[in-house]
Amino acid sequence: IMIVSTDDDPLQFQPCGAPVVVSEYPEDAGMLLAALDWTKKNAWDTPWVVTIPAGWDRVPPDLVARLVEAVTGSGAEAACVTEGGRLVLELGLWPVRLRRELRRIIDKGGQNGIAEWARGMALVVIDLG
């Protein structure tokens, strides 16, 4: 299932044909939380959400398979990527079951919501090279 999560005008994404989820919080963490909540409600047996920013044009065709393999092969709870030595949390595989913790971090005003959330879980990182 592909969904679009945004903190902007949802009408601009209607042409893509996917469900559009509007975040109640700004920034990447809010959009991730909206996607996790939507998945829990609408695809309740789906364990993870993959995040790919709309403007990211360097997504390898096997990204999702690589993220899933990294998580299942390591016993980690989540995965993200590095590119050029830089950690890219916006490209990741995130557990739906830990969405409440992300909401708690956002609600308490965490400035780096996804980074703070990721530090609290077993995270594996793959290199896009």
Side-chain angles (χ1 to χ4, degrees), residues 2-106:
M2 181 181 114
I3 64 171
V4 175
S5 182
T6 183
D7 62 355
D8 200 1
D9 178 14
L11 295 178
Q12 66 183 318
F13 297 104
Q14 280 186 332
C16 77
V20 179
V21 180
V22 179
S23 171
E24 61 187 276
Y25 301 99
E27 305 295 328
D28 294 337
M31 289 183 287
L32 173 55
L33 179 59
L36 293 167
D37 285 345
W38 184 95
T39 301
K40 179 64 178 174
K41 181 179 178 183
N42 296 284
W44 53 269
D45 60 342
T46 302
W48 293 303
V49 165
V50 173
T51 55
I52 302 171
W56 196 272
D57 61 355
R58 298 173 307 281
V59 178
D62 64 343
L63 176 66
V64 174
R66 289 171 61 188
L67 291 169
V68 170
E69 181 181 341
V71 167
T72 57
S74 68
E77 295 175 298
C80 67
V81 305
T82 60
E83 183 179 58
R86 183 177 77 85
L87 186 64
V88 183
L89 291 169
E90 298 85 3
L91 287 172
L93 178 74
W94 306 104
V96 173
R97 68 181 176 79
L98 296 179
R99 72 191 186 290
R100 288 187 186 106
E101 180 62 19
L102 179 58
R103 181 178 301 280
R104 186 189 65 74
I105 289 168
I106 293 170

